[in-house]
Amino acid sequence: AIYHLRDVLIATERTTPLTKTSGFASWFGCCSSKSTDVNDQHRSRVKRQSSFPPPTMRQPDPAANRKAADALRAEGNILFGKQKYGAAIEKYTEAVVLAPDWPVLYVNRALAHKKKGDMARVAEDASRALELDRDLMKAHYLLGAACLEQGQLGRAARHLQKALEAARAADDSIKDDIWHELARAKYTAWQVRDAARREARVTMRATLQQLGKDPAYAA
């Protein structure tokens, strides 16, 4: 039986030889044909998509943003008047996002920070306002007040002096507050200088006394 099966197989191979498209070769050929069809369909779909115009980005409207920022500023001012300084700061911050080049927003926020005693934030917002408008009187005043609290007496006096000159020129009622802060800055600076002079005199006196005890310097 075994020999008979072998003879049958040999006879079959002789009468039906394998071709390049038989067996696995024919299966791979079929897959290749299907893959080509899929690629053609993908290229056709991409070509159709590329024929559509690209989506247009909506450009921001500066006028609308300024109007919305002004509304937020007004809400912040109402909250400020109610002494809700944290909520006012949030409104001013929202307004800054819409109108980042409007210096009044930074001044208002700095005033709210001042009420909360956060002088570092006051200095930051006042400085930003002066970058946008270097002649802004209230920004000079707030920056000077912040520098005074931070011990930067010379810088404080310079900004407060500019604020006072602008307030007097405009006859703004805030000039009295500015003058008070400027006087405090100058007096504090005088105290610092006077303390330094006193310390220097004490040091010199101690040095002279020590030299007087030294036989090499005795009369």
Side-chain angles (χ1 to χ4, degrees), residues 14 37 52 58 67 80 88 92 114 120 149 154 167-168 174-175 184:
R14 289 175 179 175
D37 293 340
F52 291 103
R58 185 177 180 181
K67 184 177 180 180
F80 185 94
Y92 296 142
K114 187 175 185 292
E149 295 299 325
R168 284 175 173 170
I174 200 175
K175 63 180 181 292
R184 190 160 68 95

Side-chain angles (χ1 to χ4, degrees), residues 169-214:
D171 196 22
D172 195 308
S173 60
I174 200 175
K175 63 180 181 292
D176 294 333
D177 294 334
I178 298 173
W179 181 87
H180 177 75
E181 292 293 317
L182 179 58
R184 190 160 68 95
K186 290 182 176 180
Y187 179 69
T188 304
W190 176 84
Q191 285 182 315
V192 171
R193 292 193 299 270
D194 185 63
R197 285 193 297 267
R198 289 175 181 272
E199 184 177 356
R201 284 197 296 268
V202 170
T203 302
M204 182 178 293
R205 187 179 297 112
T207 302
L208 292 174
Q209 290 176 352
Q210 187 66 31
L211 291 174
K213 296 178 181 179
D214 192 335

